[in-house]
Amino acid sequence: MLRLIMTRVFLGCVTLFAVTLLIFAATEILPGDVASAVLGQGATPETLAAFRIELGLDRPAYVRYLEWLTNALQGDLGIAMTNKREVLATITPRLYNTLFLAGYAAAIAVPIAIILGIIAAINEGKWIDRTANILTLGAISVPEFFIAYILILVFATNLGWFPSLSTVYGDMGFWQKIHVVALPALTLTMLVMAHMLRMTRASVLAIMSQPYIEMAFLKGLPRRRVILRHALPNAAAPIISVVALNLAYLIVGVVVIEVVFVYPGVGQYMVDGVSKRDLPVIQACALVFGGAFVLLNTIADILAILVNPRLRHPR
Amino acid sequence: MAIQNSLKNPPISAKIGMVILVVFIFFAIFAPLIAPYGEAESIGKTWASPSAEFLLGTDNIGRDMLSRIIFGARMTLGVATACTLLSFLIGITMGLLAAVAGKALDQILSRFVDLMLSIPILVFALMILSMFGSSLFTLIITIGILDSFRVFRLARSIAINIVVTEFVEVARLRGEGLWWIMVREVLPNALPPMIAEFGLRFCFNFLFVAGLSFLGLGIQPPFADWGGMVRENGRAIAFGIPAPLWPAIAIGLTTISVNMIVDWILSINARPSGASAEM
Amino acid sequence: MEDFSKKLKDAERLAARSGVSRRDFMQLAMMTGLSVSAAGAMFSKAEAAETPKKGGTLRMGMEGGSATDSLDPRTYADSVMIAASLAVYDSMVEFDNAGNPTGALLESWEAKPGAVEWIFNVRQGIKFSNGKTLDADDILYSIGIHRGEDTKSPAKGILAQIADIKAITPSQISVTLSSGNADFPVILGDYHLVVVPNGFTDWENPVGTGAYKLASFEPGVRLVFENRGDYWMAGRANFDRVELLNIQDVAARTAALQSGQVDAVNRLDARTVDLMKGNNALSIVRTKGTGNRFCFVSRVTSPGFENKDLRLALKWGIDREKIIDSVYSGYAVPGNDHTLDAFNPYYNTDMPQRAYDPDKAAYHFKKSGLSGEITLSTSEGAWGSAVDCAQLYQESMSKAGITLNVKKESADGYWDNIWLKEPFCAVYWGRRLSADQTFTQVYGSGSDWNDSDWRVPAFDKLVEAARVELDETKRKEQYFECQEMIAEDGGMVCFAITDYLDGYSSKVMGVQPHARYDMNDNRIASKGWFA
């Protein structure tokens, strides 16, 4: 088991390295560079050239990448080319915010989705199953900004229970943050619940019709024991996979929420960085996102093995 | 008490779902004949309320909402179907292959997919855009490929659990080939969760398509598509104007219908003895 | 029975903000029984500068910022940074509400006949926030960072006309231009040209002569300013604290204003602003007809577009009124295919406003001898509603029998890859404060930004002559002719000039339309106060 974890960690690092290389190459290939993006309508051949020389962009690509890599390995993520701010200092509070929001939403969504999914599977066809399905399906049918606007309209503009702006600052207390960030967290919860709930339901349903479950019931085992000890571990794999995918989404996919609620997270930082082709910013965000995926997928794979011992010795 | 489901007796929910889907497909095929106005005609005031003239009101530049929804069925359903089919084809094949074909291939494919998932969608889409330009074909390929990575993760995790069962071991010992094992042993058992996933991904893609439109990769004007209509009219809801509700409801109805049908298909799996979780 | 006394009070408050005309006010006042002279006196009193009250925290929510923003004046491109810069820095030349240049840190100026040599007087007794007194060297340095071979500033182009600039005394600067320009002071009012101390480079910790000091800056999120306490201009710098939040999404911005989380927002959505009219807690300030010019520009050197008849077909085939009605809910005026607006003193009032004429469009298209589709490149990256405008254009052209293909391009890199490259695309132009600047930058043969690629020596000659012409009548004639040439022969289809729509809490005073930019020329932090 330990060897497995070590292998996965090593492979994860290799993947991360490949991510940074790939993103670097992608940004180079994309038309335009930071000089043309920042100068915009004000760009002329001379100003473009001056900008590029000042940032060292006239050096070959591999030199610049290696320089970035050596610095990154020592913990120096460089300086943004657009506004000369330290990338590490800028991204750290934003990363904390992103994780806070993702954690907030996940803490609500994951338990509810899985529990409701199991209940829906057990009560297949009954009203609780139908209602849970229709409500969550309705929620994922609409884009994130839509749910966000409706929640803002109802809870901020009309009722005034929560603020419409969720900007958080370093000096805010924990419970104040919980209050201010409630609406985006609620939006995200509604968005991810359906996927996890339906996958839980489908997976449990598939297992429930297996002969050994029927056998367990016939043996007289209590329902709770059958579901928790016999059915769930086998249904777990796809559930874990979907939960991992949704957790990853909560970290990397919520730019629209950040924009609508003015929440300073990593998503907006990356989008602005890509728009201005600011390489150090893009690379740092790629590291964060790549790291999130690698970490979550690794944990998911390890959990899957724990749950199904046969996977420890495949073949 | 469990409801007896079979191929011949769909439950109410699936029946309703099928009716709704048929209506939308009807819209898609016969749009020019049933829609009261043209797809791109701007004949009313912006964001007018529903009236006798415009049954669902008008949109952000004064076009009839009802007509746009009818016409929108074409692009919405058509593009989403194409994308989802493509992503599932790629994702399931790769996922099953990774589970069945041995550790090395599994690691290579999984890490490759991790790598692809880590590339922000924005960067990925921009790259495709710069290399292939924007067209409907590029759009479908882009979304199909982007989605396939997530389908891969799911398919692989399900398949891995199936591959370690006795059935597959027996098949291997029998000397069955890779392809046979994949299609005859693994796939049928992997189907139920994958069908559930298909139902969901199909509907995610309505919005995914619209989400890429600011990059120029979406559906080009003047064609209507429901996701795009929600996007264009979206901010009106913040002011209490109901305009974006109509395409959102269209998407919602389609999502619910498709998934009710999926539920029915899944429940056919139930044991003939009627025994189910309820015991 | 109408509550006239309340209405009168509201009208008085409006008068203080120049929100109601003298005539309207008098009509209302006299309805309450006041005599003509009493009503007139009341108006004058209300209109006279209300003494601004000091205190309070102004919270602004603005669109136009990004996580890549910087306080370096050479990088300013959008509203949030411009507004931020004007809180901590001052400019050399300001503009009054009608758009005429007035002295700021450059107190006054005079030109020698011929408008080639200029003398500027530096305002005395002004201190930077670090205690240093303002002198000519600071001005020279502040201009200098935007000039020179290796500058990367976008202001380099407009300053190219300076042949020589030097300090005569610590309080006087002499400028020699490469050729005469009667409107030169307007150039020094460019938003990039703010004044910093001589040799200053620490942009993260700005030192300026402005009303406020920077307390914190998170790019793309928020700026916080504290009043520095000793601002040199009376009646300004009235808030204790100013918070500038970057709110890109229009619905979020409006909701924040409506729920009272911010006191001032820019760029309200024209299509929904009427819904807020009934709310007495808010005031909407509309700057009419001097906002952005929205255009579709064709490059006259591209195949097909060299044909003048085709260009005329494009201009007759666009339904300006419909676009203004549907996309801007009437908050715009039609453009007449040259980019001047009616408030410019040289606006050609002789030319009839071109309107939608499908027959003329069809006629010119046929006369051009061309056939097939015309492709228009547009994007949300050009301006937010550019795709909507293009779709309406497509409709109106199809009624004239011309197929216009709308190609929605990526918002990313629009200005790099599409503008100045594609043969027919969407572009917007901000207001330039002199006709000369407009004609030189947008239509001049030597300009890098001549997006229609329309380079006509006769036109350049006209513009050069007008630049130094002191006889107003003659100058007007010359500029009138310029506009005719552009509208008739050029590649620009300028169809709308939009209004700016700012939203404020009704407690915020000193909010007035300004002929240059929104939010009182981006100076609301400096000029405003709480009631």
Side-chain angles (χ1 to χ4, degrees):
Chain A
M1 192 62 185
L2 190 64
R3 222 189 85 185
L4 185 77
I5 298 181
M6 295 307 296
T7 330
R8 289 304 305 272
V9 166
F10 170 71
L11 283 173
C13 293
V14 171
T15 313
L16 271 185
F17 166 72
V19 167
T20 60
L21 191 57
L22 196 56
I23 300 278
F24 184 89
T27 315
E28 289 289 314
I29 294 174
L30 286 178
D33 71 343
V34 63
S36 56
V38 168
L39 291 174
Q41 256 186 318
T44 62
E46 300 95 35
T47 48
L48 283 173
F51 208 111
R52 288 182 183 130
I53 293 179
E54 189 185 308
L55 291 169
L57 285 179
D58 46 334
R59 296 172 299 159
Y62 72 90
V63 168
R64 288 182 278 124
Y65 177 73
L66 282 174
E67 184 183 75
W68 180 86
L69 188 61
T70 18
N71 289 334
L73 286 171
Q74 295 165 39
D76 172 16
L77 287 176
I79 300 191
M81 295 198 277
T82 45
N83 59 13
K84 311 280 192 292
R85 291 184 158 229
E86 275 184 30
V87 174
L88 188 60
T90 318
I91 205 176
T92 308
R94 284 180 179 263
L95 179 59
Y96 178 70
N97 291 339
T98 295
L99 292 175
F100 181 80
L101 178 60
Y104 193 163
I108 305 174
V110 174
I112 296 184
I114 296 184
I115 294 174
L116 266 187
I118 296 174
I119 296 179
I122 296 173
N123 298 291
E124 184 203 353
K126 296 213 286 220
W127 69 269
I128 190 168
D129 179 28
R130 298 257 172 269
T131 326
N133 265 309
I134 293 186
L135 282 180
T136 47
L137 283 175
I140 58 162
S141 307
V142 290
E144 333 88 314
F145 61 82
F146 200 76
I147 299 184
Y149 288 158
I150 295 180
L151 287 181
I152 290 179
L153 183 67
V154 172
F155 291 106
T157 315
N158 289 345
L159 288 173
W161 289 353
F162 297 105
S164 69
L165 297 177
S166 300
T167 326
V168 292
Y169 310 110
D171 50 350
M172 275 186 173
F174 180 75
W175 289 109
Q176 193 187 4
K177 274 193 193 162
I178 294 280
H179 173 75
V180 164
V181 184
L183 286 186
L186 189 56
T187 312
L188 287 178
T189 305
M190 290 170 71
L191 285 170
V192 298
M193 241 180 28
H195 198 187
M196 295 189 286
L197 188 149
R198 287 195 54 83
M199 187 50 64
T200 308
R201 179 184 176 281
S203 199
V204 170
L205 268 181
I207 297 292
M208 290 308 237
S209 47
Q210 296 288 333
Y212 60 89
I213 296 293
E214 195 181 347
M215 191 66 210
F217 277 120
L218 286 174
K219 278 203 288 189
L221 290 175
R223 186 159 68 175
R224 203 161 139 248
R225 181 133 169 222
V226 176
I227 293 172
L228 289 178
R229 280 283 229 88
H230 295 267
L232 258 192
N234 292 307
I239 300 177
I240 294 174
S241 199
V242 167
V243 169
L245 276 176
N246 278 288
L247 286 180
Y249 164 77
L250 285 178
I251 296 178
V252 318
V254 297
V255 185
V256 177
I257 301 294
E258 287 180 24
V259 171
V260 173
F261 289 103
V262 194
Y263 187 73
V266 183
Q268 185 66 53
Y269 192 42
M270 195 209 66
V271 169
D272 285 343
V274 171
S275 159
K276 297 281 195 301
R277 304 285 191 268
D278 195 335
L279 262 173
V281 172
I282 303 176
Q283 293 284 72
C285 295
L287 267 180
V288 165
F289 292 159
F293 268 112
V294 166
L295 189 66
L296 284 170
N297 284 343
T298 307
I299 295 179
D301 286 347
I302 292 175
L303 274 179
I305 293 178
L306 283 176
V307 147
N308 186 349
R310 283 195 269 196
L311 286 177
R312 278 179 223 185
H313 314 281
R315 270 279 196 101
Chain B
M1 201 193 39
I3 300 163
Q4 190 80 337
N5 290 332
S6 74
L7 219 57
K8 296 201 181 71
N9 188 18
I12 300 278
S13 59
K15 281 204 187 112
I16 299 179
M18 284 191 282
V19 166
I20 295 180
L21 262 191
V22 165
V23 167
F24 284 142
I25 296 178
F26 186 74
F27 278 178
I29 301 178
F30 295 106
L33 299 172
I34 15 176
Y37 301 94
E39 190 173 12
E41 277 183 74
S42 165
I43 18 85
K45 300 222 89 188
T46 307
W47 286 330
S49 311
S51 63
E53 217 188 332
F54 308 113
L55 288 175
L56 294 179
T58 59
D59 75 350
N60 59 318
I61 52 175
R63 295 173 291 201
D64 177 38
M65 189 60 84
L66 180 60
S67 308
R68 296 264 305 169
I69 289 192
I70 294 176
F71 274 103
R74 310 177 133 178
M75 275 292 173
T76 314
L77 296 175
V79 172
T81 310
C83 296
T84 322
L85 280 177
L86 183 61
S87 74
F88 267 69
L89 203 60
I90 303 176
I92 292 185
T93 314
M94 294 293 121
L96 262 49
L97 204 60
V100 168
K103 250 180 127 180
L105 190 60
D106 181 18
Q107 281 302 323
I108 294 175
L109 279 177
S110 294
R111 302 291 74 80
F112 173 72
V113 166
D114 271 353
L115 181 63
M116 290 291 120
L117 280 174
S118 308
I119 300 179
I121 295 182
L122 179 62
V123 176
F124 197 95
L126 283 177
M127 266 177 34
I128 304 272
L129 199 58
S130 71
M131 291 194 284
F132 301 111
S134 98
S135 69
L136 202 56
F137 182 71
T138 325
L139 174 69
I140 294 176
I141 300 283
T142 309
I143 295 187
I145 294 182
L146 271 175
D147 236 14
S148 72
F149 303 134
R150 287 163 176 78
V151 174
F152 167 88
R153 286 286 310 169
L154 191 61
R156 177 195 169 276
S157 76
I158 297 172
I160 282 257
N161 282 287
I162 298 174
V163 157
V164 295
T165 58
E166 298 85 32
F167 310 103
V168 176
E169 237 187 284
V170 162
R172 271 203 233 269
L173 288 171
R174 268 202 330 257
E176 299 288 1
L178 210 62
W179 187 251
W180 196 96
I181 296 179
M182 262 174 67
V183 175
R184 294 294 290 267
E185 294 287 354
V186 182
L187 188 59
N189 291 303
L191 268 184
M194 294 315 295
I195 293 180
E197 184 70 7
F198 187 94
L200 280 177
R201 290 245 154 248
F202 179 69
C203 303
F204 281 156
N205 282 331
F206 296 164
L207 299 174
F208 198 3
V209 169
L212 289 179
S213 76
F214 81 101
L215 288 176
L217 257 185
I219 295 186
Q220 294 285 330
F223 296 118
D225 85 282
W226 297 340
M229 286 163 71
V230 178
R231 244 189 122 249
E232 286 166 11
N233 292 283
R235 61 191 188 281
I237 199 77
F239 300 98
I241 300 172
L245 279 179
W246 313 117
I249 289 177
I251 294 180
L253 282 177
T254 312
T255 308
I256 294 174
S257 308
V258 166
N259 284 285
M260 288 296 115
I261 296 178
V262 161
D263 284 350
W264 168 48
I265 296 177
L266 288 182
S267 68
I268 294 177
N269 247 350
R271 303 190 40 72
S273 70
S276 75
E278 191 31 66
M279 271 175 67
Chain C
M1 184 61 182
E2 299 261 27
D3 185 5
F4 278 123
S5 56
K6 176 172 184 306
K7 280 206 169 164
L8 201 55
K9 270 225 157 39
D10 287 337
E12 270 183 288
R13 232 182 284 131
L14 269 180
R17 314 200 194 101
S18 310
V20 64
S21 71
R22 189 185 195 91
R23 215 185 87 205
D24 292 338
F25 182 88
M26 305 249 318
Q27 268 183 348
L28 178 63
M30 294 195 299
M31 270 200 270
T32 69
L34 284 172
S35 68
V36 172
S37 52
M42 192 181 241
F43 181 76
S44 301
K45 181 161 165 276
E47 194 190 20
E50 256 193 42
T51 323
K53 293 209 198 78
K54 302 269 176 192
T57 301
L58 177 71
R59 297 158 306 162
M60 300 166 64
M62 289 180 69
E63 181 187 332
S66 148
T68 52
D69 282 341
S70 157
L71 281 166
D72 182 337
R74 295 168 294 190
T75 63
Y76 297 158
D78 211 346
S79 300
V80 167
M81 280 297 109
I82 297 175
S85 74
L86 292 172
V88 293
Y89 298 121
D90 282 322
S91 34
M92 305 169 201
V93 170
E94 268 189 36
F95 298 93
D96 65 16
N97 287 60
N100 304 309
T102 60
L105 291 184
L106 288 178
E107 193 170 24
S108 57
W109 51 82
E110 49 186 281
K112 303 243 177 66
V116 174
E117 283 180 37
W118 293 77
I119 306 282
F120 289 90
N121 299 309
V122 178
R123 199 177 289 263
Q124 294 300 294
I126 303 198
K127 287 204 183 324
F128 284 95
S129 56
N130 64 357
K132 180 185 188 303
T133 309
L134 174 73
D135 63 31
D137 287 329
D138 302 314
I139 305 276
L140 287 179
Y141 176 75
S142 303
I143 298 180
I145 53 178
H146 301 276
R147 294 180 68 217
E149 279 302 304
D150 11 303
T151 183
K152 55 177 203 208
S153 170
K156 183 176 171 185
I158 52 166
L159 294 175
Q161 54 192 285
I162 299 180
D164 186 36
I165 176 170
K166 57 180 188 284
I168 314 175
T169 72
S171 63
Q172 267 196 335
I173 295 179
S174 107
V175 176
T176 313
L177 303 174
S178 51
S179 62
N181 185 349
D183 293 317
F184 180 65
V186 163
I187 302 287
L188 289 182
D190 183 274
Y191 61 79
H192 295 95
L193 300 176
V194 291
V195 177
V196 296
N198 193 0
F200 188 76
T201 49
D202 186 10
W203 306 116
E204 289 299 302
N205 302 298
V207 171
T209 60
Y212 300 91
K213 291 194 305 255
L214 182 70
S216 77
F217 177 26
E218 290 168 61
V221 184
R222 182 177 77 151
L223 294 117
V224 180
F225 304 98
E226 308 264 340
N227 196 321
R228 71 177 251 191
D230 59 344
Y231 190 56
W232 56 271
M233 201 189 284
R236 293 204 182 176
N238 307 304
F239 301 108
D240 293 329
R241 217 171 110 99
V242 176
E243 285 177 26
L244 210 181
L245 280 139
N246 183 4
I247 310 181
Q248 292 292 106
D249 183 87
V250 64
R253 204 158 61 242
T254 318
L257 180 69
Q258 285 174 309
S259 61
Q261 280 197 281
V262 294
D263 310 303
V265 298
N266 66 348
R267 302 191 202 170
L268 288 172
D269 188 353
R271 282 175 263 200
T272 53
V273 75
D274 289 330
L275 295 169
M276 297 197 287
K277 284 279 173 69
N279 189 341
N280 281 328
L282 302 178
S283 72
I284 314 286
V285 173
R286 175 188 181 186
T287 311
K288 194 166 154 57
T290 53
N292 289 318
R293 288 103 239 273
F294 290 148
C295 319
F296 294 125
V297 64
S298 61
R299 293 182 72 73
V300 307
T301 44
S302 292
F305 295 100
E306 324 119 323
N307 189 313
K308 184 172 159 185
D309 281 299
L310 177 64
R311 300 200 296 271
L312 283 171
L314 295 177
K315 293 172 192 170
W316 288 111
I318 187 166
D319 193 343
R320 298 157 210 253
E321 287 299 331
K322 181 137 203 353
I323 293 180
I324 291 175
D325 195 41
S326 302
V327 184
Y328 303 106
S329 292
Y331 287 101
V333 296
N336 212 355
D337 297 332
H338 54 74
T339 39
L340 282 189
D341 58 76
F343 291 90
N344 187 301
Y346 300 111
Y347 180 77
N348 189 327
T349 42
D350 290 341
M351 277 170 60
Q353 169 65 49
R354 209 170 250 149
Y356 178 47
D357 193 328
D359 298 322
K360 276 215 179 94
Y363 164 73
H364 280 288
F365 188 61
K366 191 151 172 266
K367 194 154 164 271
S368 74
L370 297 164
S371 61
E373 294 184 352
I374 305 174
T375 301
L376 169 64
S377 299
T378 183
S379 167
E380 285 162 38
W383 71 87
S385 42
V387 180
D388 293 339
C389 297
Q391 292 186 68
L392 287 170
Y393 192 14
Q394 188 178 41
E395 267 287 286
S396 59
M397 286 287 259
S398 75
K399 292 207 191 101
I402 308 174
T403 314
L404 183 70
N405 187 15
V406 172
K407 186 150 189 277
K408 196 163 144 179
E409 302 278 0
S410 170
D412 179 276
Y414 181 80
W415 300 106
D416 286 341
N417 310 321
I418 309 296
W419 185 57
L420 292 178
K421 299 202 171 71
E422 289 294 314
F424 193 26
C425 72
V427 64
Y428 82 92
W429 284 97
R431 188 178 203 242
R432 298 295 187 275
L433 282 164
S434 67
D436 177 62
Q437 224 190 334
T438 310
F439 293 144
T440 317
Q441 276 186 343
V442 185
Y443 305 102
S445 295
S447 171
D448 291 320
W449 297 342
N450 187 332
D451 45 11
S452 55
D453 216 10
W454 179 79
R455 301 176 204 266
V456 175
F459 177 80
D460 296 323
K461 276 214 177 61
L462 258 182
V463 173
E464 273 164 32
R467 198 176 291 147
V468 286
E469 181 59 65
L470 294 169
D471 179 342
E472 272 304 304
T473 329
K474 245 194 128 220
R475 209 181 188 204
K476 218 170 168 187
E477 258 175 48
Q478 287 160 330
Y479 282 142
F480 270 39
E481 201 186 326
C482 286
Q483 290 165 69
E484 275 163 29
M485 287 177 75
I486 301 170
E488 183 62 22
D489 190 46
M492 188 78 86
V493 182
C494 175
F495 57 90
I497 301 179
T498 56
D499 303 340
Y500 284 125
L501 290 164
D502 306 334
Y504 299 97
S505 144
S506 47
K507 291 182 298 161
V508 180
M509 315 298 288
V511 297
Q512 284 157 346
H514 193 283
R516 191 167 166 234
Y517 291 132
D518 46 354
M519 305 217 89
N520 209 342
D521 200 20
N522 275 311
R523 288 177 162 83
I524 188 67
S526 172
K527 292 185 183 174
W529 68 92
F530 279 124

